[in-house]
Amino acid sequence: MATLTTNFSHVGISVSDVTKAIDFYKNVLGWNHIAGPFSVKDSGDPEDFTRILYGRNGKEFGSFKLAHMTTQDSVGVELLEFEHGYDPGDDFDYDRHGIFHFGVQTPDVDELIEKVIANGGERVTPTKVMPCTDVMGHTIEYLIAFAKDPFGNIFEIYSYSYELQSKLPTKLG
């Protein structure tokens, strides 16, 4: 029996203004806008897949706007603006189960943080230097920081490939 494998396909990000979110992610992270925004209304039909998903447990979602983007490495991003959505404010709800941040990679962390700020987002942490010794004994300094988009979503910005996580120091303090 063959082993089942998966690839990461997409993530959904809830925002308060889908049109502004398209501009933010296009201008700041260089993502491609591929479709939408579309308006999706609750049909009331119990067989409607959107109703099955968003109307679970008796919830009334009313309507939402949906747009699709892709990252430079072809990961999909759904931007959703729910009619009754709310900004998380300054509450970084890291202890809630589920996705609470996403990560992006860039060679210049601080330059990207400046673009985030210039486009309505904010810096969440200072930039941390993560020294790593390569196989030749050379120390390489990788960078990491967290930022927030204008809608309160937190994301991690780092200057190294994710595969290096196991080689970097575990102490971030």
Side-chain angles (χ1 to χ4, degrees), residues 78-145:
E78 291 179 341
L79 299 174
L80 299 105
E81 176 187 331
F82 288 95
E83 181 180 351
H84 302 294
Y86 61 92
D87 288 339
D90 199 30
D91 184 22
F92 183 39
D93 198 6
Y94 59 85
D95 55 350
R96 178 188 56 82
H97 294 180
I99 297 171
F100 63 91
H101 80 274
F102 62 90
V104 298
Q105 179 184 342
T106 184
D108 194 330
V109 170
D110 288 324
E111 180 181 343
L112 183 52
I113 291 277
E114 289 174 17
K115 282 181 78 173
V116 167
I117 293 167
N119 285 274
E122 64 183 81
R123 176 186 285 274
V124 174
T125 68
T127 301
K128 172 80 175 161
V129 176
M130 305 285 288
C132 182
T133 305
D134 68 13
V135 294
M136 300 296 290
H138 302 109
T139 299
I140 303 165
E141 292 186 338
Y142 295 108
L143 302 175
I144 181 173

Side-chain angles (χ1 to χ4, degrees), residues 32-48:
N32 302 305
H33 176 212
I34 59 172
F38 309 105
S39 290
V40 179
K41 294 187 186 326
D42 184 352
S43 68
D45 178 355
E47 298 300 314
D48 184 301

Side-chain angles (χ1 to χ4, degrees), residues 24-99:
F24 177 84
Y25 287 113
K26 184 169 49 172
N27 296 333
V28 175
L29 300 183
W31 294 354
N32 302 305
H33 176 212
I34 59 172
F38 309 105
S39 290
V40 179
K41 294 187 186 326
D42 184 352
S43 68
D45 178 355
E47 298 300 314
D48 184 301
F49 189 75
T50 305
R51 177 87 172 122
I52 292 169
L53 177 61
Y54 297 113
R56 294 177 63 226
N57 302 320
K59 289 187 177 178
E60 298 293 331
F61 69 88
S63 67
F64 63 91
K65 294 178 185 172
L66 170 66
H68 297 279
M69 300 187 82
T70 59
T71 65
Q72 295 303 314
D73 53 347
S74 300
V75 173
V77 179
E78 291 179 341
L79 299 174
L80 299 105
E81 176 187 331
F82 288 95
E83 181 180 351
H84 302 294
Y86 61 92
D87 288 339
D90 199 30
D91 184 22
F92 183 39
D93 198 6
Y94 59 85
D95 55 350
R96 178 188 56 82
H97 294 180
I99 297 171

